[in-house]
């Protein structure tokens, strides 16, 4: 398998504090890879380090075979890597349409921007009918859709998502996962950091389990749900039961 995005032997954190160490993650085009684990395991720090939002102490990041370690985040996004942070991921005082427009800031061709917006509205019809609504007046699920749709305006080949299901009730969370499945089917690679283990692994091809800043386990998404006590312990399933709605 040819991987479009590869992060190898990552050690990252903030200031002088190392949060994650010696973690490697890779994803192929049209593949969804989940990074899961308990609170404080370093999931968000890991994904932020790919874009320079967390300090990289060691390791390398490559995209389409090119080393992009240490490149400024705006340049990385311009290369074709989209990023949706967990919080502050929309402009609340702008309309849905204006938020999407911001996602195409690096494009100069107005026709291309218009065509891209039409494609995004086709993928997110819920937004098309409310394009003049202020993002700050939307529900949590709707705001998350705007954030993902804005990232897709840049037509990324790789999409990085930090806790997209956080604080969402089951129905909007399922809607978000449906959108991600469509994005995957269109050929975009997705790396998703998430605490809702059961839901995210249901749409993932592979997964990495982080515990205390290290990778405790990796493999096919289905194998991470195998009835094995050690795996269940790492995933936080031991006392809750594998069939429950899980948020670690």
């Amino acid at each position: 398998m040819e991987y479009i995005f590869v992060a190898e032997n990552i050690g990252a954190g903030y200031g002088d504090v190392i949060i994650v160490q010696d973690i490697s993650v890779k994803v192929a085009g049209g593949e969804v890879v989940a990074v899961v684990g308990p609170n404080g395991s370093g999931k968000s720090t890991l994904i932020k380090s790919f874009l320079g939002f967390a300090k990289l102490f060691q390791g390398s990041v490559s995209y389409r075979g090119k080393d992009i370690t240490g490149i400024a985040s705006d340049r990385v996004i311009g290369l074709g890597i989209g990023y949706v942070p967990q919080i502050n991921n929309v402009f609340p005082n702008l309309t849905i349409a204006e938020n999407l427009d911001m996602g195409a800031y690096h494009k100069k061709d107005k026709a291309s921007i218009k065509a891209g917006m039409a494609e995004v509205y086709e993928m997110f019809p819920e937004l098309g009918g409310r394009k003049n609504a202020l993002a700050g007046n939307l529900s949590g699920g709707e705001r998350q859709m705007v954030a993902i749709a804005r990232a897709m305006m840049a037509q990324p080949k790789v999409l990085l998502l930090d806790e997209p299901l956080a604080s969402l009730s089951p129905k909007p969370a399922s809607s978000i996962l449906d959108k991600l499945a469509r994005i995957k089917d269109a050929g975009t690679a997705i790396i998703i950091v998430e605490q809702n283990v059961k839901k995210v692994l249901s749409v993932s091809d592979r997964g990495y389990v982080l515990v205390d800043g290290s990778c405790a386990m990796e493999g096919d998404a289905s194998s991470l749900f195998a009835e094995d006590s050690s795996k269940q312990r790492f995933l936080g399933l031991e006392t809750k039961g594998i069939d429950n709605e899980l948020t670690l």
Side-chain angles (χ1 to χ4, degrees):
M1 182 180 294
E2 184 175 351
Y3 296 102
I4 188 172
F5 182 93
V6 178
E8 294 186 296
N9 306 120
I10 298 297
Y14 306 96
D16 296 326
V17 180
I18 298 176
I19 305 296
V20 297
Q21 49 192 336
D22 200 28
I23 297 177
S24 297
V25 174
K26 54 192 176 183
V27 64
E31 184 182 38
V32 177
V33 168
V35 179
V36 300
N39 275 330
S41 59
K43 303 184 301 297
S44 291
T45 299
L46 176 66
I47 200 170
K48 288 176 181 177
S49 74
F50 300 160
L51 296 167
F53 297 133
K55 183 177 180 180
L56 194 65
F57 291 95
Q58 70 172 52
S60 63
V61 181
S62 63
Y63 169 66
R64 303 179 92 170
K66 178 181 178 181
D67 187 354
I68 61 170
T69 310
I71 293 179
S73 58
D74 59 334
R75 287 188 58 200
V76 172
I77 291 170
L79 290 173
I81 299 176
Y83 172 61
V84 180
Q86 179 182 354
I87 59 175
N88 299 324
N89 55 18
V90 299
F91 298 98
N93 295 326
L94 298 182
T95 66
I96 290 175
E98 289 168 338
N99 267 273
L100 298 189
D101 220 17
M102 293 292 288
Y105 71 93
H106 69 288
K107 291 186 177 182
K108 306 300 181 184
D109 184 0
K110 291 185 178 180
S112 175
I113 294 174
K114 185 177 180 179
M117 193 167 289
E119 289 180 7
V120 167
Y121 281 140
E122 183 178 354
M123 184 174 290
F124 296 86
E126 303 91 338
L127 304 181
R130 304 186 61 192
K131 61 181 68 175
N132 294 320
L134 287 177
N137 293 334
L138 303 177
S139 67
E142 291 168 334
R143 285 197 301 273
Q144 198 62 261
M145 283 192 188
V146 172
I148 296 171
R150 189 181 69 236
M152 293 305 297
M153 283 293 295
Q155 298 178 313
K157 300 299 182 183
V158 178
L159 183 62
L160 309 178
L161 298 153
D162 190 358
E163 304 277 11
L165 307 184
S167 303
L168 297 185
S169 57
K171 185 174 181 179
S174 294
S175 295
I176 294 296
L177 291 176
D178 288 344
K179 302 302 182 186
L180 296 183
R182 290 190 61 183
I183 291 171
K184 168 195 171 178
D185 290 344
T188 301
I190 299 174
I191 297 178
I192 178 171
V193 164
E194 185 53 59
Q195 289 190 58
N196 196 319
V197 176
K198 185 175 182 180
K199 280 189 176 295
V200 73
L201 288 181
S202 72
V203 298
S204 300
D205 298 287
R206 293 185 296 108
Y208 298 82
V209 180
L210 269 56
V211 177
D212 295 330
S214 299
C215 184
M217 181 170 51
E218 64 179 274
D220 292 340
S222 58
S223 73
L224 296 181
F225 263 139
E227 294 287 351
D228 177 273
S229 60
S230 63
K231 293 182 179 182
Q232 291 186 36
R233 183 174 68 255
F234 282 132
L235 288 169
L237 308 179
E238 196 167 44
T239 59
K240 295 181 182 180
I242 199 166
D243 295 323
N244 291 341
E245 202 67 39
L246 302 173
T247 301
L248 301 182

